[in-house]
Amino acid sequence: MLKKWEQRSMKVAALGVTALALAGCSSAKSSSNQGNNPGKTIKIGVNMELSGSAAGYGEQQKQGIQLAVKKINKNGGIQVGKTKKKVQLVIRDNKTTNNTAASVAAQLVNNDKVVAVVGPATTNAGTAAIPNMTKASVPTVSPSATDPDFTLQKGGAVQKYVFRACYQNDFQGSSAAKFVTKNLKAKRVAILTDNSSDYGTGLTKAFKKSYTGKLVSSQTFQEGDKDFNAILTSLKHKQIDAIYAPGYYSEIGLIVKQARQAGIQAPIVGSDGMADAKLAQIAGKQNANQVYYTTPFSTKAAASNPVASKFMSAYQDKYGSTAPTFSALAYDSVYMIKKAIENEGSANSVKIANGLAKLKNFKGTTGTITIDKKHNAEKTIAIEQLTNGQVTKTYDVDQ
Amino acid sequence: MQTFGQQLVNGLSLGSIYALLALGYTMVYGIIKLINFAHGDIYMLGAFWGYYSLRAFHFNFLMALCSAMVVCAVLGVVIEYFAYRPLRHSPRITALITAIGVSFLLENGMSALVGANARSFPQALPVVTYHWLGIRVSNIQLLILITACLLMALLELIIKRTKMGKAMRAVSVDPEAAQLVGINLNHTISFTFALGSAMAGAAGVLIGLYYNSIDPLMGMTPGIKAFVAAVIGGIGSVPGASLGGFIIGILETGVQAVGLSAYKDAVVYFVLIVILLVMPAGIFGHNRREKV
């Protein structure tokens, strides 16, 4: 009897110890404030949405990251002081969930000892990863977390180790509002928002703040929705001059298709989540007319930007299609880290964070980037117009 | 009036897809009392089969539709054989959890295999839009509605007029008694899975053609909505599932038409709760007393 009890208690104890050990692995160290140092190689972590609902975007970003690292290593690596060190990627999937994003962050900084992280792609997952990154003093650059508060702490102070390579929503939303008023002269606008992401709701908020005309209708949809006929039919007789639809290409492509098939010819204006050749494929070329979107990465502008045109052709060679915006942003994220290391002459993670904060006039594929006080990427914005599925015109928006 | 008619068309074409999916849920539940959560993913596989057969084998649309039905029927049987048959005598909750597991396996397996990106479906049929009393109806909407109705009628025929259908009905009433009179339980259950999965495969190809966008997670939400449709119609009842599908489609369209798009899913689930409270067995369901 006693023996049995003993056995059982031993088992419980063993379980407890294992649990503790596991917990010890996953919670970030807070004692040392020195951050991680590189070994023979510079380890860069990737905390990315490779499965789950945002996997499509995560996959594209991974391609951009791998392309960047391959190119860096081909040229011998990153100059750290007097030696050149190669870059080693540690790619981990956060499954588009917040808990996994947080535990992946802990794993990357504590077990893999990376000196910088690229990702996550979405604001939600990105925000969940911040505490562990900050505890370990390792900087993270998100290619596509657009929420204005992403880089800020609750009180409004900046998150020391959080950066982004994309615009924040306020900038993009207000640019779209200006374009709709000035260029399209639209007096009556309907909004269709992806309200399952911070991206869509944030852009809508920013658009509403700066748009001065009449807002006829404001409707929402969910990521993964395929049928917009009902909403579009109800908009048809409301005499709208334009539709503002911030979201990703997979849903906006369907909105464009169904709107044109329902006989709505009003211009459809969106955001950089639409900047993908797949938009026109899903909408159908004959339907992708009078479609506009704000983007940092115009394929037209790329022709005059040597960094971008090199990236475009490298991507084309490797993956056989036009580079999507997400890949370009992820590519820039890696090069921003490289630049920060070179400027600081050290690949210590704290130094990289300092270097990123001081980044100025960095020539990326998505334009010339300067990191501002709030760790946002400042760069110019353009609006592209699609006609028959092709980019035919690029507009500049004055701020 | 025009807008109303147009919305009705929208609702019917959405509803026929839900109805096709709901049939699979209801048949499997009727026979082995299992809610097959992987059913929505069979529909996704049907869409992908359509995509590859149209692109790689240059099938025409009819061939793509029929081959997708065959492939999905086989897949349904295989899934039943490996995942559910070994659990035939375990508690129902075990089979239910396995179904969720199979669903995850199919979704993430396809994401890993073909990538999670949404892709455009080859346009096998050119879109023609008919104008009739100011209502726009596309040939694809008509096709979906007609195919759905045809398949449902065919299913009704199979269940009511064939020997296998009779066996299915017998198994659903009492599997043990059915075995006593010489009905092969395993064959009947496999056949049910094949039928339901074929319906889902057809729905997948039709959706691919209609919306022109498919991805590995496309089965999740429609799967759950179709499940709700089956419950509203009375789970286990074939005409109930068809009716439930159309009700959900029209309800969703109606909610969006009056400008409450943010609440469209909430309303569907709210109706589910109300139906379960008022008529726990659904519209066509029989309120059978459980034997203890």
Side-chain angles (χ1 to χ4, degrees):
Chain A
M1 190 64 200
L2 194 72
K3 215 173 174 192
K4 213 172 191 184
W5 182 84
E6 217 171 49
Q7 254 180 358
R8 193 175 297 164
S9 62
M10 278 304 284
K11 256 187 211 162
V12 172
L15 256 176
V17 169
T18 336
L20 272 177
L22 283 174
C25 290
S26 63
S27 73
K29 269 188 324 216
S30 50
S31 53
S32 94
N33 231 355
Q34 300 302 307
N36 288 344
N37 285 307
K40 273 187 189 154
T41 55
I42 296 173
K43 272 192 182 173
I44 295 181
V46 178
N47 183 350
M48 196 49 73
E49 286 80 344
L50 298 177
S51 59
S53 59
Y57 320 118
E59 198 59 45
Q60 293 179 345
Q61 302 200 352
K62 190 179 103 183
Q63 290 176 344
I65 293 166
Q66 285 173 326
L67 211 59
V69 169
K70 213 177 129 195
K71 202 176 156 204
I72 291 171
N73 284 342
K74 213 171 140 193
N75 296 335
I78 301 179
Q79 188 79 40
V80 189
K82 288 196 178 91
T83 52
K84 265 194 160 186
K85 285 188 173 182
K86 295 232 172 177
V87 178
Q88 188 189 346
L89 276 183
V90 185
I91 299 176
R92 292 195 186 277
D93 179 12
N94 63 35
K95 305 192 177 88
T96 325
T97 59
N98 299 349
N99 323 350
T100 322
S103 61
V104 162
Q107 227 173 352
L108 286 172
V109 294
N110 296 332
N111 298 4
D112 303 323
K113 299 276 175 209
V114 301
V115 294
V117 169
V118 180
T122 56
T123 304
N124 296 345
T127 308
I130 292 175
N132 284 341
M133 302 304 299
T134 308
K135 262 189 235 162
S137 313
V138 174
T140 176
V141 182
S142 171
S144 58
T146 51
D147 192 83
D149 294 335
F150 174 63
T151 53
L152 302 179
Q153 293 173 16
K154 280 241 167 67
V158 69
Q159 294 273 16
K160 198 177 166 207
Y161 294 100
V162 182
F163 303 85
R164 70 175 121 216
C166 53
Y167 301 123
Q168 52 125 319
N169 288 334
D170 287 346
F171 180 56
Q172 211 179 159
S174 63
S175 303
K178 272 177 203 143
F179 175 77
V180 165
T181 322
K182 271 193 196 158
N183 299 53
L184 298 178
K185 313 244 178 304
K187 297 205 170 60
R188 296 166 63 82
V189 167
I191 298 184
L192 266 174
T193 312
D194 175 353
N195 78 341
S196 56
S197 70
D198 285 357
Y199 176 64
T201 48
L203 282 170
T204 302
K205 219 162 79 190
F207 182 88
K208 279 183 180 165
K209 228 187 319 183
S210 34
Y211 180 65
T212 47
K214 188 167 166 49
L215 210 61
V216 183
S217 172
S218 184
Q219 301 288 328
T220 62
F221 59 91
Q222 300 275 316
E223 182 174 3
D225 277 2
K226 298 224 185 293
D227 198 302
F228 305 94
N229 286 315
I231 299 177
L232 291 168
T233 306
S234 73
L235 291 181
K236 198 178 166 185
H237 297 289
K238 290 198 169 145
Q239 290 152 346
I240 42 172
D241 302 322
I243 297 174
Y244 182 57
Y248 296 116
Y249 64 88
S250 41
E251 285 84 24
I252 309 294
L254 287 168
I255 289 178
V256 170
K257 175 182 154 93
Q258 290 169 20
R260 298 301 180 241
Q261 282 178 351
I264 299 174
Q265 299 304 336
I268 297 173
V269 183
S271 50
D272 57 354
M274 283 163 68
D276 191 298
K278 287 221 172 70
L279 179 90
Q281 284 169 22
I282 290 171
K285 283 204 163 57
Q286 71 286 4
N287 296 321
N289 279 314
Q290 290 270 65
V291 174
Y292 305 85
Y293 50 82
T294 47
T295 174
F297 177 69
S298 71
T299 26
K300 286 231 153 165
S304 57
N305 174 352
V307 187
S309 54
K310 260 187 212 152
F311 164 72
M312 295 290 281
S313 61
Y315 189 94
Q316 180 80 37
D317 288 346
K318 182 99 197 268
Y319 301 107
S321 65
T322 328
T325 309
F326 285 123
S327 302
L329 287 167
Y331 185 87
D332 277 357
S333 305
V334 176
Y335 269 91
M336 280 162 69
I337 293 170
K338 172 176 183 268
K339 188 81 185 166
I341 294 174
E342 287 172 351
N343 285 354
E344 292 290 311
S346 159
N348 170 276
S349 63
V350 181
K351 289 269 171 61
I352 297 178
N354 294 339
L356 281 168
K358 285 188 261 169
L359 207 62
K360 268 204 182 69
N361 294 327
F362 164 78
K363 297 248 184 304
T365 58
T366 60
T368 305
I369 298 172
T370 298
I371 296 292
D372 72 2
K373 265 185 263 160
K374 290 179 174 172
H375 290 187
N376 295 320
E378 280 181 354
K379 49 189 164 183
T380 49
I381 195 163
I383 289 182
E384 288 191 331
Q385 176 179 8
L386 292 183
T387 308
N388 284 326
Q390 296 290 331
V391 180
T392 48
K393 206 170 167 191
T394 309
Y395 300 83
D396 290 319
V397 189
D398 313 315
Q399 285 303 312
Chain B
M1 192 61 215
Q2 265 178 31
T3 315
F4 178 77
Q6 184 67 55
Q7 295 289 21
L8 195 66
V9 170
N10 295 339
L12 282 175
S13 39
L14 186 63
S16 47
I17 295 295
Y18 288 149
L20 274 180
L21 277 175
L23 286 171
Y25 276 104
T26 219
M27 281 198 307
V28 167
Y29 184 85
I31 302 271
I32 53 169
K33 304 285 177 283
L34 161 72
I35 295 165
N36 181 12
F37 276 112
H39 193 66
D41 303 300
I42 302 264
Y43 147 89
M44 175 270 293
L45 291 175
F48 270 90
W49 172 263
Y51 174 84
Y52 285 111
S53 66
L54 285 168
R55 284 185 57 135
F57 312 143
H58 303 290
F59 280 11
N60 63 28
F61 175 69
L62 196 66
M63 278 156 71
L65 185 74
C66 295
S67 62
M69 288 176 73
V70 173
V71 168
C72 285
V74 172
L75 276 170
V77 173
V78 169
I79 289 172
E80 194 272 331
Y81 186 82
F82 285 108
Y84 306 140
R85 189 167 294 181
L87 300 172
R88 190 70 54 71
H89 301 292
S90 346
R92 254 150 78 177
I93 190 81
T94 317
L96 188 76
I97 293 167
T98 310
I100 296 173
V102 172
S103 164
F104 280 165
L105 174 75
L106 293 179
E107 280 164 12
N108 292 312
M110 279 303 273
S111 297
L113 204 65
V114 299
N117 273 320
R119 54 189 74 208
S120 59
F121 198 81
Q123 289 304 284
L125 292 178
V127 182
V128 185
T129 311
Y130 306 107
H131 296 259
W132 182 66
L133 293 178
I135 298 172
R136 299 165 77 103
V137 186
S138 75
N139 56 341
I140 297 181
Q141 280 173 322
L142 285 177
L143 182 79
I144 289 179
L145 201 59
I146 294 169
T147 318
C149 290
L150 269 180
L151 287 175
M152 283 184 245
L154 184 71
L155 186 67
E156 192 65 15
L157 269 180
I158 292 177
I159 293 177
K160 290 278 157 69
R161 295 288 157 87
T162 65
K163 211 168 171 182
M164 205 60 191
K166 202 181 239 174
M168 280 166 67
R169 281 181 290 147
V171 171
S172 97
V173 173
D174 191 334
E176 265 134 46
Q179 275 177 307
L180 286 178
V181 297
I183 290 170
N184 186 330
L185 196 63
N186 283 338
H187 283 181
T188 315
I189 291 173
S190 294
F191 184 73
T192 311
F193 267 88
L195 265 187
S197 304
M199 296 284 160
V205 176
L206 289 173
I207 274 290
L209 191 69
Y210 185 33
Y211 296 131
N212 185 25
S213 151
I214 60 170
D215 61 86
L217 300 185
M218 67 186 277
M220 267 159 89
T221 323
I224 292 173
K225 295 264 178 66
F227 170 59
V228 173
V231 171
I232 286 179
I235 192 145
S237 149
V238 169
S242 321
L243 184 72
F246 285 112
I247 290 177
I248 296 290
I250 290 170
L251 192 69
E252 237 188 85
T253 309
V255 172
Q256 295 181 70
V258 296
L260 295 172
S261 52
Y263 301 101
K264 76 173 181 200
D265 292 346
V267 168
V268 169
Y269 298 127
F270 179 72
V271 167
L272 172 72
I273 293 170
V274 169
I275 293 259
L276 284 178
L277 285 176
V278 181
M279 296 189 280
I283 297 171
F284 278 104
H286 305 289
N287 212 344
R288 245 185 264 138
R289 227 170 263 155
E290 292 244 337
K291 278 173 280 182
V292 186

